[in-house]
Each structure stands twice: as C-alpha cells, then as structure tokens.
C-alpha cells in the first residue's frame, strides 16, 4: 500500500506543478500582429485629377498630377497682363495643401524681393488660381483619404 500512496502522491504533486494552460481544452486563437509602423512621408495612392485616373503606375500618376496642376495654374496666370520694368526669369515656390476631401488650399508662397517689387499682386493671383482648381481625388494611405502637402515650383518668365 505504501507503493500505491507514493504513486498517488507523485501524481498529485505532478498535477499541482503543471500549469493550467497545458490542461486547457479550448482552442487557442492566434491574434494577427498588426503593422503599427506608418511611413508618413509617402502615400499609397497620389492625388489624382480625372485625366490621371486611368494611370496605374505610381510614378506616372504623380507625374500626371504635377503636369496637370502646373498646366491649370499656368493657364490662370496667363489670363492676366503684367507690366514690368525689368525682365524676370525666376522660380516661385507655391506650397499647396490638398485636404482629405480633395480641395486645394494655398499654404504659402516663396519668391524673391525682385518679384515682390515687380509683381505685387502675384500672391492674390496665385490664390485665385488655386481656388479655381477643380476638386480632385485625394491621396490615400492604407485605404483612407489623407491630407497632403506639395511644393510646386513655377517658373516666371517675363520680358520688358
């Protein structure tokens, strides 16, 4: 009988030291690991004008977007007559925000003092040109429309 007690005691001891998760009869469900690292310097899909919608390649779509926005702002600026004293051949930087609804907002402009002197109404003309831009499809990051910011260089060439 002492052998029976020893075996029983050993089994009870073994049962006490065994963790409960080893004896669980429920199925373990694996939780997928979520990718929590987000690169905020790029988007999955660039903003798009309707003329660029059919382009699949990411770089070509961005090029189409930039070419179209330059064309549309250039068309608006060419509608105005400028009177200048000295010739101008400089680059103006236009910082645009495209919100998650696809609307353009003029954030800021950067240009030289010479352009400020020769074209004092350039800021208001650029703002007007940006307001005339059509609503577009916004950029997309992880399936969600996001706000993006673009810096567009615009070459101003005027001669006397």
């Amino acid at each position: 009988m002492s052998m029976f007690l020893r075996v029983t005691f050993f089994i009870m001891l073994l049962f006490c030291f065994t963790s409960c998760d080893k004896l669980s009869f429920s199925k373990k469900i694996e939780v997928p690991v979520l990718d929590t690292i987000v690169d905020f310097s790029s988007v999955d899909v660039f903003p798009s004008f309707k003329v660029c919608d059919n382009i699949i390649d990411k770089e070509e779509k961005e090029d189409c977007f930039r070419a179209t926005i330059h064309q549309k702002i250039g068309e608006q600026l060419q509608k105005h007559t400028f009177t200048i004293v000295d010739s101008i051949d400089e680059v103006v930087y236009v910082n645009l925000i495209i919100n998650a609804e696809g609307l353009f907002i003029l954030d800021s402009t950067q240009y030289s003092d010479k352009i400020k002197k020769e074209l004092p109404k350039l800021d208001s003309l650029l703002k007007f040109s940006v307001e005339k831009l059509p609503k577009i499809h916004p950029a997309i990051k992880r399936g969600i429309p996001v706000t993006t910011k673009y810096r567009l260089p615009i070459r101003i060439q005027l001669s006397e």
Side-chain angles (χ1 to χ4, degrees):
M1 185 131 175
S2 83
M3 181 71 159
F4 177 73
L5 285 173
R6 284 186 189 171
V7 171
T8 307
F9 179 72
F10 178 73
I11 291 175
M12 299 269 290
L13 190 63
L14 185 65
F15 183 71
C16 289
F17 286 116
T18 306
S19 75
C20 293
D21 63 341
K22 303 281 185 206
L23 300 175
S24 175
F25 294 106
S26 65
K27 291 184 178 180
K28 289 188 180 183
I29 300 172
E30 289 189 27
V31 178
V33 177
L34 297 177
D35 182 15
T36 57
I37 299 173
V38 179
D39 179 13
F40 289 106
S41 65
S42 67
V43 293
D44 299 334
V45 178
F46 282 96
S48 178
F49 287 95
K50 288 186 182 193
V51 296
C52 305
D53 282 350
N54 295 332
I55 299 172
I56 296 172
D57 184 61
K58 189 174 179 178
E59 289 179 19
E60 288 179 19
K61 194 167 204 157
E62 181 182 17
D63 291 342
C64 178
F65 167 75
R66 288 187 179 274
T68 305
I69 197 167
H70 274 103
Q71 174 195 0
K72 293 193 178 290
I73 290 177
E75 287 172 357
Q76 287 296 323
L77 290 177
Q78 288 177 355
K79 290 180 182 178
H80 301 281
T81 305
F82 300 101
T83 306
I84 57 170
V85 177
D86 293 327
S87 295
I88 297 175
D89 186 8
E90 293 187 32
V91 176
V92 172
Y93 293 99
V94 178
N95 297 312
L96 295 173
I97 294 174
I98 303 167
N99 68 15
E101 287 79 37
L103 298 174
F104 288 92
I105 301 164
L106 179 65
D107 184 39
S108 63
T109 55
Q110 295 175 338
Y111 45 83
S112 69
D113 290 335
K114 180 179 180 181
I115 291 182
K116 284 180 185 178
K117 180 183 171 191
E118 292 286 333
L119 303 171
K121 294 184 179 181
L122 183 61
D123 262 349
S124 61
L125 291 174
L126 286 171
K127 185 175 182 178
F128 178 75
S129 298
V130 169
E131 288 173 355
K132 286 290 188 184
L133 290 170
K135 184 177 178 181
I136 64 170
H137 301 291
I140 296 175
K141 183 73 173 182
R142 292 188 169 195
I144 300 170
V146 293
T147 298
T148 53
K149 187 173 184 178
Y150 286 92
R151 181 179 175 109
L152 295 172
I154 298 175
R155 180 173 221 125
I156 305 287
Q157 291 179 316
L158 298 170
S159 57
E160 304 173 38

